[in-house]
Amino acid sequence: MSQFTLITGGSRSGKSSFAELLAAHTAYPNRPVIYIATAQILDEEMAHRVKKHQQQRPATWQLIEEPLNIPDTLRKLKETNGVILLDCVTLWLTNLLLSETEKNAQASQSAHITRTIYEMIEPKILSLVQEVGLLAQKIQPSVIFVTNEVGQGIVPENPLSRAYRDLAGRSNQILAQSADNVYWVTAGLPVEIKHSGEALLSSLGKER
């Protein structure tokens, strides 16, 4: 059964670098690392970012580019004797949300799209997140997911951005529940937060 690790943090916190170090360590001595990239290259700036990430990773790592269908990708790798590193969850959520919103916008009036997001699209995506979290627990390879904390800044000005912020926060909670280990990375330093957080919640529950 997999060892599932979730790594979260803010932008440029060092979470991807930590995830790559952890994957390389977990892979020792002879387990391959499979890197699942969820980014889509839609402009020059993103192409630059992707190239920079590629240069940081060992050339021996296998690359799978999959922006949407993460459940089936994990199923195909379920018996791999290696380490899966997915970077990142929040780009995957972006891809899903925009894809589903575009599909529904063609059939709905724009005034109703926000309600459609919360009543139809978000539940569908959260169901996929739940499925992915369970798969990450059960498959044979060790699994490392990188995600982002996107709700710590100002409240976004438009409904789609606010819906995305809420979706990312709820998805991170689902994945953290499934994960064996959860790390928060800030200023390049990782802190293990799952077990201490669970202990605190348990003690608070006993006091009620």
Side-chain angles (χ1 to χ4, degrees):
M1 187 175 287
S2 167
Q3 180 81 1
F4 175 28
T5 299
L6 180 69
I7 299 170
T8 188
S11 177
R12 289 288 175 262
S13 61
K15 58 191 182 297
S16 291
S17 296
F18 171 63
E20 291 166 9
L21 285 172
L22 188 61
H25 175 77
T26 307
Y28 181 83
N30 292 311
R31 301 176 72 197
V33 175
I34 302 165
Y35 187 99
I36 302 176
T38 59
Q40 299 186 86
I41 301 175
L42 302 176
D43 55 41
E44 186 177 343
E45 189 266 347
M46 182 56 78
H48 175 74
R49 284 175 178 268
V50 169
K51 184 176 181 180
K52 201 169 181 181
H53 268 282
Q54 290 172 340
Q55 291 171 343
Q56 293 172 190
R57 299 194 301 267
T60 55
W61 288 10
Q62 179 184 342
L63 172 64
I64 297 176
E65 295 178 316
E66 179 49 64
L68 293 169
N69 199 349
I70 299 304
D72 280 354
T73 302
L74 293 180
R75 288 190 192 95
K76 289 174 184 176
L77 299 170
K78 66 181 180 180
E79 297 181 357
T80 302
N81 182 29
V83 181
I84 294 171
L85 170 54
L86 183 145
D87 195 353
C88 69
V89 169
T90 33
L91 274 176
W92 173 50
L93 296 174
T94 299
N95 300 336
L96 289 173
L97 181 59
L98 292 178
S99 175
E100 291 295 326
T101 301
E102 183 177 350
K103 280 189 252 180
N104 282 273
Q106 293 171 0
S108 303
Q109 295 180 5
S110 59
H112 300 298
I113 191 63
T114 300
R115 188 173 65 186
T116 302
I117 289 172
Y118 282 105
E119 293 181 359
M120 296 176 59
I121 297 174
E122 185 185 69
K124 180 178 180 180
I125 294 176
L126 290 179
S127 178
L128 286 173
V129 172
Q130 186 81 51
E131 181 182 0
V132 162
L134 292 174
L135 282 168
Q137 282 182 323
K138 294 178 180 179
I139 61 178
Q140 180 173 317
S142 295
V143 178
I144 301 169
F145 282 1
V146 178
T147 190
N148 288 271
E149 293 298 326
V150 300
Q152 294 186 305
I154 60 174
V155 176
E157 67 174 354
N158 66 79
L160 182 60
S161 295
R162 290 194 293 273
Y164 172 71
R165 175 202 60 182
D166 295 347
L167 175 64
R170 292 183 179 113
S171 297
N172 285 348
Q173 290 186 58
I174 290 170
L175 294 174
Q177 287 294 318
S178 296
D180 299 289
N181 304 294
V182 180
Y183 292 93
W184 166 269
V185 183
T186 185
L189 300 174
V191 179
E192 208 288 328
I193 61 172
K194 175 155 186 174
H195 302 298
S196 58
E198 286 178 328
L200 176 58
L201 286 173
S202 177
S203 66
L204 291 172
K206 290 175 182 178
E207 293 173 5
R208 294 179 64 182

